[in-house]
Amino acid sequence: MHEDGNGDGRGVESELAGSGVNQPEFLALERELTVLLRRARANQGEMAREVHPDLESSAYGLLVRLGECGGQRATDLAAYIGVGKATMSRQLRALEELGLVAREPDPADGRAWLVTLTPEGQDRVGRVREARRARYAGRLADWDPREVSELARLLHELNRGMEK
């Protein structure tokens, strides 16, 4: 038996067994999220290529974030995406070379820079996101709009819970 960090002799297995993780609803949740995430990763690669043939899959989410939130500091983007400063610098340099983002002085702090979408970046990301929403609308056409709203609400709650 493995002891936990408290040294109380209870094993990890017994803690998991008592937590409900083996209940059918959590098994079903894990299975469905695994399928959803696998499809989302594949879809992200397709969307990145639609924005620009040379765009890395991982950079698509960065462009979406900039489109939704406007100018951001590179450090804030790195924290949001969950990558280090070096990785973020490399991605931003590549996006600048593709003409999708630009850096401009931060009006709140002249020593810092904000990364923004260029007009070309806004146009390309906007078209891809609109096409994606159209695909969702087509695939969920037989759903009641209230069900779509409920799914969006539940996914939002799940995402909030995962931030903790």
Side-chain angles (χ1 to χ4, degrees), residues 97-153:
E97 289 171 6
L98 294 175
L100 301 173
V101 301
R103 297 178 201 236
E104 58 188 45
D106 184 345
D109 181 354
R111 300 166 298 172
W113 294 86
L114 294 178
V115 179
T116 61
L117 288 177
T118 62
E120 176 75 10
Q122 289 173 354
D123 181 57
R124 287 176 178 248
V125 171
R127 281 187 280 132
V128 170
R129 292 190 74 198
E130 188 174 319
R132 181 174 57 169
R133 285 191 305 274
R135 284 193 297 269
Y136 290 155
R139 289 181 179 146
L140 302 177
D142 57 341
W143 285 38
D144 184 296
R146 291 175 301 223
E147 292 174 318
V148 175
S149 293
E150 180 66 1
L151 176 60
R153 186 189 71 75

Side-chain angles (χ1 to χ4, degrees), residues 14-33:
S14 65
E15 287 182 29
L16 289 177
S19 70
V21 297
N22 291 322
Q23 293 178 356
E25 59 270 20
F26 288 106
L27 293 169
L29 176 63
E30 179 201 17
R31 181 180 54 251
E32 296 305 324
L33 282 175

Side-chain angles (χ1 to χ4, degrees), residues 34-44:
T34 298
V35 171
L36 178 67
L37 293 172
R38 183 172 14 103
R39 288 182 178 157
R41 277 190 295 274
N43 198 323
Q44 184 170 340

Side-chain angles (χ1 to χ4, degrees), residues 12 33 66 97 160:
V12 173
L33 282 175
L66 289 170
E97 289 171 6
R160 277 192 15 190

